[in-house]
Each structure stands twice: as C-alpha cells, then as structure tokens.
C-alpha cells in the first residue's frame, strides 16, 4: 500500500510539472522526465479524461476518475504480480488483454505503438514547457537615474575668501552677491563664489550642476561662470547654465548677450536671447532657438518641459525627489512631451498628473519609479 501511495504521488507531481514547470527545479524535472512508467501512467490518465469529455456533455468528475484510475492501476499491478488474470476469450494466465478507451481489443504491436506515441507526446510537451520556462525572455529594465543617501541640507563653507554653497537633491536656493547679482541654484548643485565680488577685475564663480543668473551690469568688470566643461562671460544679462554631465551641458540666454566657450577657449561664440548653446563632443557647440521659459521656471518653483524627451523629464524628477528611475520600455524613453507641475507637490501627485496624459504609466513602489507603457 505504501508503494501504491508513493506511485500516486509521483503521478500527481508529474502532472503538475507538465502544467507548471516553473514550480520545479531543473533536477526535479529531469528525474520526472526519465521515469517512463510514471509518464505512461500520466498519459493513460489524460486519455481517460479525454474519452470522458467526448462521451459526456458536462465536464467529468476529476476526483472520481482519479480514484478509478488509481484503482485500475493498483488492481492490474496486483494481478500481474500474481499472474492470475484470465481473459474471457481464453487468453492464457499471466497475460493481460489490451483494450482501448472504447473497449476495443488491441493487438500487441498496436499497444506498443500507442504507448510509444503517448510517451513521445508527453516527453515533447514537457520538454517544450521546460525550454519555454528556462529561456523565456525576462523583462528588460533600464535604470536612468539612481537615488543617493546624502545629507538633505543646504551648506555653506568658507575658505580663503571664497564661499562654497552646496544644495542637495530635493532643494534649491537663491543668493545675492555683493554686487547685486542674483543666483538661483538648482538641486544637486554647487557654487563657489567670492565673499566680496566688488572691486575685482573679473567677477568669477565656479558652478557644478545648474544655476539661473541675473547678473548686475558692470561693463568694467565682466562676470564669468566657469564649469568643468564650458565657460560663459557676460556684462549684464539673465541666463541659465546646466552642466550635470558631459551629455547634458548647455547655456540658455533669456536677456542681453553672452559669450560661450569651452574650457580651453578653442571655440567661442555669441548667443542671442531665446537661443540655447549645447556643448557637443569634440568641444563644438550647437545653437537652437528654444522657449527660454523652459530653462528658468525651475527657479520659480515649477517643472516645465516643452517637447522634451521623457527620459530627461524623469531624470529631473529623480534628481528633485531623490529616487531611482527605471524604464521597462526603451521606446518610452524617447517620447517627447509637454509637461508642467509644481515642484512643491509630492511625488505621487506629480506621477498622477503625468499618468493623466495617458501616454505612459509611471508608478512609485519600493523607493523607485517604474515607467512603462
């Protein structure tokens, strides 16, 4: 009886493996596929279920058929072991009479052929299921921005007559220099500037990140903004500089005129209001007419994007809210959108507004934003 119960459990596991191979290890699947006796029993059971389905208009009683199947296999096993089965038509003892599911007598070659075909079908089906489970393509994820564990406070350090202002993610800050120049520093940015810029031949500041400037006019003392990638010189004007990375370095002019160059001064050019100068690989600049408002509204507490790729929008949200940004669809990164929101809103509020445009689906879970279609 213990042996019969164990055999029934093996059949149950084999049927479950065919239906749900993902619930089994590779080693378990190999063992089940190599057990031909167990697989043949599974095939007999499935044939029985199919025959009942053809004969009855309603669905078969699975529990009843399983009990019947188990009883038949147990009975046949016991009789074969004793060699006492006699066929009604005079078949000799110790041999079984083979019939199909409709009661028709089958020859020995036909029985072997059917069993071979059935076993082949089961093995092929199980192999296909296993291969599909092992090699089915996984979802692709593209991380475009990563959060950081940093001190969330604005700091100013003074050394040798210069101040270093640091603004972390999720914050911005506005300062006024001694000459009246006003500067707005965006999230994740640093600005180094003199404690007193008045009386100096050149008013020089160094920037990492992004800042918006309203420079006090002083034709005798040029105002120069230096970064790791480019340099901007002005006499009196309003402009925005964004230099978070080599592939995102540009200057946008709102009023007045400015001269932009690379750090080696090999390329210099003048840009006009409403123009954006983007630093290209090799040190050259590309000039484009833009909506200048897009590059300064952050200083007024707004997110504003006009015909901007979604990847840039999400990076900006990641920087402000300090969260990981992950795309599940590569094409979605390059969707161009117009989007505006208040920087004082919570991240879920901003994502709900983005989702209301019905172009993408962005959700916040487990400290990251997942963006897909």
């Amino acid at each position: 009886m213990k042996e019969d119960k164990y055999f029934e459990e093996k059949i149950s596991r084999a049927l479950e493996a065919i239906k749900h191979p993902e619930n089994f290890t590779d080693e378990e699947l190999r063992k089940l596929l190599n057990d031909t006796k167990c697989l043949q029993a599974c095939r007999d059971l499935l044939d029985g279920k199919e025959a009942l389905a053809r004969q009855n208009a309603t669905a078969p009683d699975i529990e009843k058929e399983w009990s019947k199947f188990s009883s038949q296999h147990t009975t046949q096993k016991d009789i074969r072991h004793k060699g006492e089965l006699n066929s009604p038509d005079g078949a000799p003892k110790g041999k079984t009479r083979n019939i199909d599911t409709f009661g028709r007598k089958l020859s020995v070659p036909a029985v072997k052929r059917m069993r071979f075909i059935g076993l082949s079908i089961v093995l092929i089906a199980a192999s296909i299921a296993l291969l599909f489970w092992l090699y089915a393509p996984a979802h692709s994820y593209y991380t475009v921005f990563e959060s950081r564990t940093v001190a969330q406070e604005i700091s100013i350090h003074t050394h040798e007559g210069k101040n270093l202002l640091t603004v972390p993610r999720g914050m911005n800050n506005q300062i006024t220099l001694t000459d009246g120049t006003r500067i707005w520093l965006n999230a994740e940015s640093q600005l180094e500037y003199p404690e007193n810029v008045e009386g100096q031949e050149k008013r020089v500041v160094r920037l990492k990140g992004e800042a918006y400037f309203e420079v006090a006019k002083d034709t005798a003392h040029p105002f120069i903004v230096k970064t790791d990638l480019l340099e901007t010189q002005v006499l009196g004007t309003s402009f925005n500089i964004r230099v978070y990375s080599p592939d995102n370095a540009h200057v946008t002019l709102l009023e007045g005129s400015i001269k932009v160059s690379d750090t080696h001064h090999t390329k210099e050019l003048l840009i006009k209001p409403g123009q954006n100068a983007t630093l290209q690989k090799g040190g050259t600049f590309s000039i484009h007419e833009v909506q200048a408002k897009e590059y300064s509204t952050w200083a007024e507490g707004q997110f504003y994007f006009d015909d901007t790729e979604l990847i840039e929008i999400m990076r900006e949200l990641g920087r402000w809210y300090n969260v990981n940004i992950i795309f599940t669809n590569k094409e979605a990164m390059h969707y161009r959108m117009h989007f505006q929101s208040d920087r004082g809103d919570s991240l879920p509020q901003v994502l709900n507004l983005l989702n209301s445009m019905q172009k993408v689906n962005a959700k916040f879970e487990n400290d990251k934003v997942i963006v897909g279609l």
Side-chain angles (χ1 to χ4, degrees):
M1 295 298 294
K2 291 184 178 180
E3 184 179 353
D4 294 338
K5 185 176 181 181
Y6 174 72
F7 186 68
E8 290 178 6
E9 291 177 351
K10 288 182 67 175
I11 294 174
S12 297
R13 285 179 59 79
L15 291 171
E16 179 66 14
I18 294 173
K19 187 176 181 181
H20 298 292
E22 69 275 9
N23 296 333
F24 294 78
T25 65
D26 295 346
E27 183 62 25
E28 290 175 332
L29 289 172
R30 279 193 291 269
K31 288 183 179 179
L32 290 172
L33 290 175
N34 290 332
D35 192 334
T36 57
K37 182 179 178 181
C38 179
L39 290 177
Q40 179 60 42
C42 290
R43 186 259 178 187
D44 292 343
L45 179 60
L46 294 174
D47 281 352
K49 289 171 61 180
E50 290 177 1
L52 284 172
R54 290 193 296 267
Q55 294 175 3
N56 297 281
T58 58
D61 187 336
I62 301 300
E63 294 295 333
K64 181 179 178 180
E65 293 306 315
W66 174 254
S67 299
K68 180 180 178 181
F69 169 82
S70 300
S71 177
Q72 288 176 349
H73 270 265
T74 302
T75 301
Q76 289 179 6
K77 178 184 175 184
D78 291 341
I79 293 176
R80 287 167 184 167
H81 178 71
K82 296 177 181 179
E84 296 177 352
L85 178 63
N86 287 313
S87 65
D89 56 356
K93 291 184 178 182
K95 295 185 178 180
T96 60
R97 186 178 63 165
N98 299 293
I99 60 173
D100 65 9
T101 54
F102 296 100
R104 295 173 297 191
K105 185 177 179 180
L106 298 175
S107 65
V108 173
V111 171
K112 291 183 177 180
R113 183 167 58 253
M114 289 184 64
R115 288 179 176 174
F116 177 77
I117 293 173
L119 177 59
S120 299
I121 292 173
V122 172
L123 288 173
I124 292 172
S127 299
I128 292 174
L130 176 60
L131 289 173
F132 179 80
W133 176 60
L134 291 176
Y135 298 105
H139 289 292
S140 297
Y141 294 94
Y142 307 92
T143 301
V144 300
F145 193 86
E146 295 183 350
S147 62
R148 293 178 182 172
T149 303
V150 294
Q152 297 298 307
E153 60 180 14
I154 297 172
S155 63
I156 299 179
H157 299 283
T158 303
H159 180 68
E160 296 181 352
K162 293 183 178 180
N163 294 329
L164 179 63
L165 171 63
T166 301
V167 179
R169 294 179 178 182
M171 300 183 184
N172 54 27
N173 189 249
Q174 188 265 322
I175 62 171
T176 302
L177 303 185
T178 55
D179 66 345
T181 294
R182 297 198 297 173
I183 305 172
W184 286 259
L185 208 60
N186 205 349
E188 197 177 21
S189 300
Q190 281 189 336
L191 182 71
E192 182 184 79
Y193 59 95
E195 288 186 277
N196 186 1
V197 297
E198 292 183 294
Q200 297 190 19
E201 182 179 352
K202 294 180 179 180
R203 298 172 289 172
V204 180
V205 299
R206 294 192 63 88
L207 172 68
K208 290 184 178 180
E210 182 173 15
Y212 172 69
F213 295 82
E214 291 184 355
V215 179
K217 292 184 178 180
D218 186 347
T219 56
H221 303 92
F223 191 95
I224 300 172
V225 182
K226 293 185 176 183
T227 73
D228 292 338
L229 300 171
L230 53 83
E231 186 174 304
T232 304
Q233 179 174 321
V234 302
L235 298 177
T237 187
S238 300
F239 63 99
N240 191 84
I241 299 181
R242 184 183 181 91
V243 193
Y244 280 114
S245 63
D247 60 348
N248 189 15
H250 53 82
V251 181
T252 309
L253 181 62
L254 281 76
E255 297 179 358
S257 64
I258 56 177
K259 182 169 64 175
V260 182
S261 69
D262 61 3
T263 55
H264 302 291
H265 297 276
T266 55
K267 299 287 184 179
E268 294 185 349
L269 70 158
L270 293 173
I271 63 174
K272 300 176 182 178
Q275 289 184 332
N276 180 73
T278 302
L279 183 64
Q280 306 292 314
K281 292 181 179 179
T284 61
F285 287 91
S286 62
I287 306 296
H288 299 282
E289 300 290 335
V290 297
Q291 291 289 336
K293 178 182 178 182
E294 177 181 353
Y295 299 90
S296 63
T297 51
W298 66 263
E300 301 169 4
Q302 295 287 317
F303 293 114
Y304 184 90
F305 305 96
D306 183 42
D307 191 33
T308 304
E309 286 191 333
L310 183 60
I311 187 174
E312 294 303 326
I313 296 175
M314 298 312 300
R315 280 173 174 167
E316 186 66 15
L317 296 181
R319 181 173 291 109
W320 182 248
Y321 294 104
N322 192 31
V323 294
N324 293 321
I325 304 294
I326 300 174
F327 279 81
T328 60
N329 184 285
K330 202 169 186 178
E331 293 181 0
M333 298 185 194
H334 305 293
Y335 284 177
R336 304 194 75 88
M337 302 176 63
H338 177 89
F339 180 68
Q340 184 173 1
S341 180
D342 196 314
R343 290 163 74 98
D345 290 342
S346 67
L347 178 58
Q349 288 176 313
V350 175
L351 295 181
N352 285 338
L353 182 60
L354 183 65
N355 291 335
S356 68
M357 302 177 71
Q358 299 184 346
K359 289 188 176 182
V360 295
N361 179 41
K363 56 184 178 181
F364 178 61
E365 57 182 27
N366 299 325
D367 297 323
K368 57 181 175 287
V369 176
I370 308 295
V371 186
L373 297 179

